Amino acid sequence: MATLILVRHGRSTANTEGVLAGWTPGVHLDERGSAQAASLPGRLARVPLAAVVSSPLERCRETVAPLLAARPGLALHTDDRIGECHYGDWSGRKLAELAQEPLMEVVQQHPSAAAFPGGESMRAMQARAVEAVREWNDRVDREHGEHAVFLMCSHGDIIKSLVADALGMHLDLFQRVHVEPCSVTAIRFTRTRPFLLRLGDTGDLGSLAPAQPDEESRTEDRGQGVVGGGAGAP
């Protein structure tokens, strides 16, 4: 089945200000985030993409804009289900301030029990994101074949929850996963189970290109076997 490339959006103004953005409108990439987005087409130059799907939020759309400009035949799809967690009353507040909230300990240690006031639970966040990935995976596989690669641009907590699902990890362990801004996480799906190929990769991605027919026999059998994400490295 298809390979999914998950890109976390580039560094945003909210990241550098230490603010939990959530669905707050008007949060854009900062200067470094724009540079990270500009490097994405080169990093993915050798990887054919069947589809690009983005969270509707500005910082994600801005991250994939250079990639789409470099591949004019590639359309952009948006899907609310891979949009940021709905943090409700926590949205727009400083992370340093939120660290003092009793709920933060639950978010960190027992996220499956965490529900944001005026927002959604982390269980609901994961459920909608997993549903979106599985539907898009089936669609890409059906329309483009089992060796197709597609890309989704989303957010730190969404990507971490998808990694947990792919690895069969309980959501309560997902805070052990870290993904940098504009990093790539890749999951290859098979009939029986998914395989995590990259996690938070910020380097060259050419090896994610599908194997050529004469290489298939030399590859292994694929069927065997901080809230919001943070600002990344300085």
Side-chain angles (χ1 to χ4, degrees):
M1 298 177 71
T3 296
L4 168 62
I5 293 178
L6 289 162
V7 176
R8 185 186 167 201
H9 63 78
R11 196 174 74 175
S12 73
T13 53
N15 294 146
T16 51
E17 292 168 2
V19 169
L20 187 63
W23 283 71
T24 304
V27 176
H28 299 278
L29 299 183
D30 68 6
E31 184 176 356
R32 178 169 180 175
S34 296
Q36 291 170 333
S39 72
L40 196 58
R43 293 169 62 202
L44 288 166
R46 292 188 288 159
V47 183
L49 295 174
V52 173
V53 187
S54 176
S55 156
L57 296 171
E58 293 101 325
R59 53 197 183 272
C60 287
R61 294 172 67 97
E62 291 170 2
T63 298
V64 296
L67 178 64
L68 294 168
R71 304 192 190 196
L74 196 56
L76 175 64
H77 306 272
T78 59
D79 193 322
D80 287 0
R81 295 174 298 176
I82 61 168
E84 182 61 284
C85 184
H86 291 277
Y87 296 117
D89 297 344
W90 279 27
S91 298
R93 293 177 61 186
K94 290 280 189 179
L95 287 166
E97 174 189 325
L98 291 171
Q100 308 307 313
E101 295 278 356
L103 178 60
M104 183 59 85
E105 184 177 15
V106 181
V107 170
Q108 293 295 323
Q109 304 297 332
H110 191 19
S112 66
F116 296 97
E120 69 179 333
S121 69
M122 302 200 90
R123 295 188 316 279
M125 174 200 74
Q126 183 187 44
R128 63 173 164 85
V130 169
E131 179 185 55
V133 163
R134 291 179 179 171
E135 287 185 10
W136 276 101
N137 185 70
D138 289 345
R139 174 176 171 177
V140 169
D141 192 52
R142 184 173 63 251
E143 295 179 1
H144 300 277
E146 62 180 8
H147 297 298
V149 181
F150 69 109
L151 182 147
M152 284 184 159
C153 186
S154 188
H155 307 265
D157 282 348
I158 296 289
I159 293 171
K160 289 160 56 178
S161 74
L162 290 169
V163 169
D165 176 75
L167 293 178
M169 289 168 46
H170 197 281
L171 184 61
D172 284 345
L173 302 179
F174 99 126
Q175 296 289 21
R176 301 182 184 189
V177 178
H178 178 71
V179 289
E180 294 257 328
C182 216
S183 64
V184 164
T185 294
I187 301 169
R188 176 166 290 140
F189 294 90
T190 75
R191 184 178 61 82
T192 55
R193 72 191 86 173
F195 289 84
L196 183 65
L197 305 182
R198 292 287 191 283
L199 177 61
D201 195 322
T202 57
D204 178 74
L205 301 164
S207 63
L208 291 175
Q212 297 301 311
D214 61 339
E215 296 175 337
E216 279 296 314
S217 61
R218 301 198 298 272
T219 61
E220 70 271 26
D221 182 352
R222 301 299 185 185
Q224 303 296 319
V226 186
V227 180

